[in-house]
């Protein structure tokens, strides 16, 4: 056969070698069977893709919902952070602000949990406070999720658990485990270098989404800077006397199991450390570095009249040396890799088979809040502030978190 | 929503359309499946879900 002959039909023209001349094109009167099968297969594959997307959506929607925080007997008002700065209204940066007002004159304290969503002792202490405590003197304002956006996702490639579950006294309780930083769907792209607005300090680009590098914030700044500005505005408007920011850090981090205090807050912090030591809670005291900018203890101390302090506990799930990561590790605070590191003398805190369980970390934070308020009241007897009903360190160690949730 | 986010989502949505067209134009089931797999993260990004 002469391969150079003219095409037998228009189907032959332009077809690659080996393509059957009668391959379906769908241009004949009715679609050929092969074309119909092709369309059916395409629709089936498209359906599978859409089903995979749909499977993810409920988890995404759940991540955006606030978890239930039950108003305790001491909560006198629940407000929204956007009341102090409307620029965050309707965004995932807006969050509940719980007010515990004794109705008696005194000082005002602000307790921040959840500045970093992957530091559960911080926000769980704030939640335990809201659900169990009441102000006995002065008033205490509590923000359990200072960076609510950071609770809506987890850190990339860290294998973080999504949820922490407890059988609490009021039923089964589920709390999210979040990220150190604002969700990139709320703020992106990250710059190569993050420049802190008021100081010009340069940090790694990802720190642009770290609330504790964004203070005092800007009304027209990034999403994270606007959250910081809202908190700063609250501190100014409510004439907050004392800010306590609750955090966690990895066991190898030098500043752990410690209170970090602005220079104006050193007297109050020293008194608190002494009070804690009397209760056999060993805790360090660190001055707020003047050249590390954007942190709550530095900027709120400089930009407002409040005494600013930050508390750290030891959390293995944040560390670079950790082994298998999961909710159990977060709650029990044990890790065989950290045990080995401790035996090699590589950690900043004592570490044994008991680890640093969440109940102990929350217990330390709760005790620190109580001790700081007591120390402030001792130094300022005319402006007392205190809590009642806050579980003690001994209570939490003996009974765990569950009876208080 | 910032301007750059709108641009990003438009690009992602455009890519979704192109991949869907590719899915229907391909003849082999392996190519279709590949297009289907590519679609999943693209749709998630267009919706800014993941």
């Amino acid at each position: 056969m002469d391969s150079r002959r003219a095409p037998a039909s228009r189907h032959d023209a332009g077809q690659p070698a080996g393509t059957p001349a009668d391959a379906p094109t769908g241009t004949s009167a009715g679609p050929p069977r092969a074309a119909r099968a092709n369309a059916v297969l395409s629709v089936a594959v498209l359906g599978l893709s859409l089903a995979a997307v749909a499977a993810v959506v409920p988890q995404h929607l759940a991540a955006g919902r606030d978890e239930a925080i039950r108003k305790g007997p001491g909560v006198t008002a629940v407000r929204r952070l956007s009341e102090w700065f409307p620029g965050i209204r309707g965004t995932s940066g807006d969050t509940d602000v719980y007010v515990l007002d004794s109705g008696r004159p005194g000082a005002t304290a602000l307790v921040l949990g959840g500045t970093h969503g992957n530091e559960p002792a911080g926000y769980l202490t704030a939640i335990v406070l809201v659900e169990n405590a009441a102000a006995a003197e002065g008033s205490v304002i509590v923000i359990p999720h200072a960076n609510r956006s950071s609770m809506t996702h987890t850190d990339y490639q860290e294998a973080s658990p999504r949820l922490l579950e407890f059988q609490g006294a009021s039923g089964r309780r589920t709390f999210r485990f979040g990220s150190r930083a604002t969700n990139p769907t709320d703020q992106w792209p990250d710059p190569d270098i993050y420049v802190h607005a008021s100081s010009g300090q340069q940090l790694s680009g990802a720190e642009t989404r770290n609330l504790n590098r964004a203070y005092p914030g800007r009304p027209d700044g990034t999403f994270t800077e606007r959250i910081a500005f809202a908190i700063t505005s609250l501190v100014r408007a409510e004439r907050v006397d004392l800010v306590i920011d609750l955090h966690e850090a990895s066991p190898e981090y030098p500043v752990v199991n410690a209170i970090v205090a602005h220079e104006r807050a050193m007297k109050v912090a020293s008194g608190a450390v002494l009070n804690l030591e009397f209760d056999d809670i060993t805790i360090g005291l660190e001055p707020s570095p003047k050249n590390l900018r954007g942190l709550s203890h530095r900027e709120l101390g400089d930009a407002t009249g409040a005494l600013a302090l930050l508390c750290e506990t030891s959390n293995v799930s944040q560390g670079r040396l950790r082994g298998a990561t999961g909710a159990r590790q977060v709650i029990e605070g044990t890790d065989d890799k950290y045990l080995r590191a401790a035996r090699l003398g590589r950690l900043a805190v004592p570490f044994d088979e008991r680890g640093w369980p969440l109940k102990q970390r929350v217990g330390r934070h709760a005790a620190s809040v109580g001790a700081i308020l007591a120390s402030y009241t001792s130094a300022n007897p005319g402006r007392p502030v205190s809590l009642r009903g806050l579980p003690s360190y001994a209570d939490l160690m003996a009974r765990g978190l569950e009876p208080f949730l | 929503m910032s301007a750059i986010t709108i641009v990003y989502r438009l690009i992602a949505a455009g890519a979704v359309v192109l991949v869907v067209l590719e899915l229907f134009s391909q003849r082999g089931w392996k190519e279709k499946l590949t297009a289907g797999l590519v679609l999943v993260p693209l749709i998630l990004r267009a919706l800014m879900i993941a």
Side-chain angles (χ1 to χ4, degrees), chain A residues 58 60-67 148 152 176:
Chain A
H60 171 73
L61 294 177
R65 280 194 289 268
D66 285 327
E67 54 206 6
R148 181 164 156 254
T152 63
R176 287 201 301 267

Side-chain angles (χ1 to χ4, degrees), chain A residues 203-229:
Chain A
L203 291 170
S204 156
E207 294 288 65
T208 191
R209 289 183 286 112
N210 182 349
L211 176 59
N212 207 29
R213 299 294 181 277
Y215 288 105
R218 290 185 295 173
D220 56 351
T222 64
F223 180 88
T224 309
E225 285 176 317
R226 282 182 278 138
I227 297 171
F229 182 76

